[in-house]
Amino acid sequence: MPRILSGVQPTGNIHLGNYVGAFRQWVDMQHDFEALYPVVDLHAITLAYSPDELADRTLEAAALLLAAGLDPDVCTVFVQSHVPEHTELAWLLNHLATVGELRRMTQFKAKAETGGEGALPAGYFNYPVLQAADILIYQADRVPVGEDQRQHLELTRDVAERFNARFGQTFVVPEAYIPKVGGRVMDLQLPTAKMSKSSASPAGRIEVLDPPEAIRRKVRSAVTDSGREVLARPDKPAISNLLELFSVATGSTVGELERTYAGRGYGDFKGDLADALIAFLAPVRERYHELRGDPAHLRAILEQGAVKAQAIARENLALAKERMGFLPRSSG
Ligand code: AMP
Ligand code: TRP
């Protein structure tokens, strides 16, 4: 069975973009692939964070994944830092990625433009190499992610190809898998920016754990485009985004929704969209609260996941080190 891997950072504020762009696919794909889903906590320390909250956020992200429908008996959910082989492989791969290409990563460029690159932690710069290690250490064939991760996946492929060319065929060269609808959910207040965990205004972000009133309020205050027609068009980024979310939440196509709301204006549309999103997220929120009520059970699931993941990671790390010429320990 082909293997897939994808990760989420435990940085809080998990939102509709994460759910629609990523988690939903992960749930569907767990049955058709051997699937590994780490909560990537080592990626969550690259910028200022609170040590008091990291562990709790990690449990929160894991509970959300399970609440979204990942079944720990079918797939492997684990915590990245519980499998330290990731970090060791990242060090090795740091010698296959170049400073020039890491400097071209748009996430890094954006940060460097706002505050200058000099003060950024070196870990922030190197983060895409750790991501490559997360993927390659499992020989993943496919990586289901949102559109924003495309460039990181290209880098991962380049690193794998370079390793294979230099040290002999070792790593599977993985492919990105990006959904056609919902791969890039936009901010409800600023529809030219992606919905993000760290955006300044929480009003533009619907969080998976938002209570119904909050969802209704955010949908009602979502910005719209000029005109009154409910149509998905490049010059109507706000309505196009809302239509896409409506489509994902209900299973109706964007075309069907456009016909339903033809001539009815934004008011009705927004009311119905809020209802649809509330119904869409309610079961996830309920299961989440059940899972959070039993942290011992949650941690047992993550332990079981780490054991399964580490068995694979250990083997592939050993292979990479052998190919690179390291002296093995005589105890094997
Ligand atoms: P992150 O929030 O960076 O931990 O991302 C977790 C997953 O959610 C990744 O696969 C991202 O590509 C995806 N994702 C994040 N934001 C969005 C968005 N606005 N639209 C679609 N997918 C997203
Ligand atoms: N960089 C990804 C993000 O910000 C998270 C991530 C880390 C990831 N390691 C990964 C995604 C491996 C897919 C595969 O969303």
Side-chain angles (χ1 to χ4, degrees):
M1 215 192 294
R3 201 175 272 160
I4 60 172
L5 176 135
S6 199
V8 59
Q9 295 191 39
T11 35
N13 306 340
I14 289 177
H15 53 75
L16 206 50
N18 298 129
Y19 186 65
V20 165
F23 302 176
R24 225 174 22 122
Q25 272 63 243
W26 304 1
V27 171
D28 291 345
M29 293 171 92
Q30 66 182 328
H31 300 288
D32 303 323
F33 295 87
E34 182 185 345
L36 296 129
Y37 301 117
V39 175
V40 289
D41 53 350
L42 295 165
H43 289 274
I45 62 168
T46 53
L47 294 172
Y49 77 101
S50 157
D52 296 338
E53 290 177 10
L54 183 60
D56 210 53
R57 294 276 192 233
T58 302
L59 286 177
E60 175 190 86
L64 267 170
L65 290 179
L66 299 169
L70 293 184
D71 177 348
D73 293 325
V74 173
C75 65
T76 304
V77 181
F78 66 104
V79 177
Q80 180 193 31
S81 68
H82 292 177
V83 184
E85 285 78 1
H86 290 227
T87 19
E88 190 173 346
L89 182 62
W91 176 252
L92 305 181
L93 298 184
N94 262 313
H95 303 87
L96 291 127
T98 67
V99 171
E101 66 194 348
L102 291 177
R103 204 171 254 134
R104 285 194 293 278
M105 295 292 116
T106 51
Q107 266 182 11
F108 174 77
K109 274 207 303 205
K111 267 283 178 278
E113 266 162 30
T114 52
E117 66 168 46
L120 283 173
Y124 187 79
F125 182 68
N126 282 302
Y127 151 119
V129 180
L130 178 58
Q131 180 165 356
D134 296 338
I135 298 166
L136 300 183
I137 203 162
Y138 297 103
Q139 307 280 9
D141 300 281
R142 275 213 216 174
V143 184
V145 282
E147 180 65 47
D148 60 341
Q149 295 301 313
R150 192 184 288 280
Q151 196 187 25
H152 289 156
L153 259 292
E154 279 306 314
L155 177 78
T156 302
R157 291 170 57 85
D158 290 345
V159 164
E161 278 166 2
R162 228 169 275 158
F163 191 105
N164 291 344
R166 181 149 164 219
F167 300 112
Q169 181 59 41
T170 305
F171 291 117
V172 169
V173 180
E175 268 173 46
Y177 177 81
I178 297 168
K180 288 193 187 64
V181 178
R184 189 169 172 83
V185 174
M186 307 309 279
D187 189 293
L188 300 191
Q189 290 296 319
L190 189 67
T192 48
K194 68 170 183 180
M195 190 176 285
S196 133
K197 290 171 175 166
S198 56
S199 63
S201 115
R205 172 176 67 229
I206 292 183
E207 294 179 20
V208 177
L209 298 176
D210 273 345
E213 320 79 74
I215 297 179
R216 202 173 294 286
R217 180 165 29 82
K218 289 176 187 177
V219 171
R220 199 181 311 124
S221 66
V223 303
T224 46
D225 308 291
S226 57
R228 289 182 40 80
E229 315 84 57
V230 178
L231 289 175
R233 284 205 318 246
D235 63 335
K236 284 177 157 287
I239 293 297
S240 303
N241 186 43
L242 297 180
L243 273 166
E244 197 161 308
L245 289 175
F246 206 152
S247 163
V248 167
T250 57
S252 303
T253 65
V254 168
E256 285 163 358
L257 293 165
E258 286 175 336
R259 285 191 289 283
T260 307
Y261 291 95
R264 289 173 58 191
Y266 293 153
D268 278 4
F269 173 72
K270 280 184 165 181
D272 293 352
L273 170 59
D275 289 340
L277 288 175
I278 290 166
F280 183 59
L281 294 177
V284 182
R285 196 160 59 100
E286 279 159 26
R287 277 197 298 271
Y288 170 84
H289 288 298
E290 276 165 36
L291 287 155
R292 274 319 290 267
D294 190 352
H297 176 62
L298 201 51
R299 292 184 63 175
I301 289 174
L302 294 173
E303 177 53 28
Q304 170 195 319
V307 169
K308 278 202 276 175
Q310 192 167 31
I312 305 171
R314 199 179 276 144
E315 209 172 289
N316 288 314
L317 174 64
L319 179 68
K321 288 173 78 175
E322 183 195 311
R323 292 281 154 82
M324 287 179 76
F326 287 98
L327 175 70
R329 259 177 89 166
S330 37
S331 66

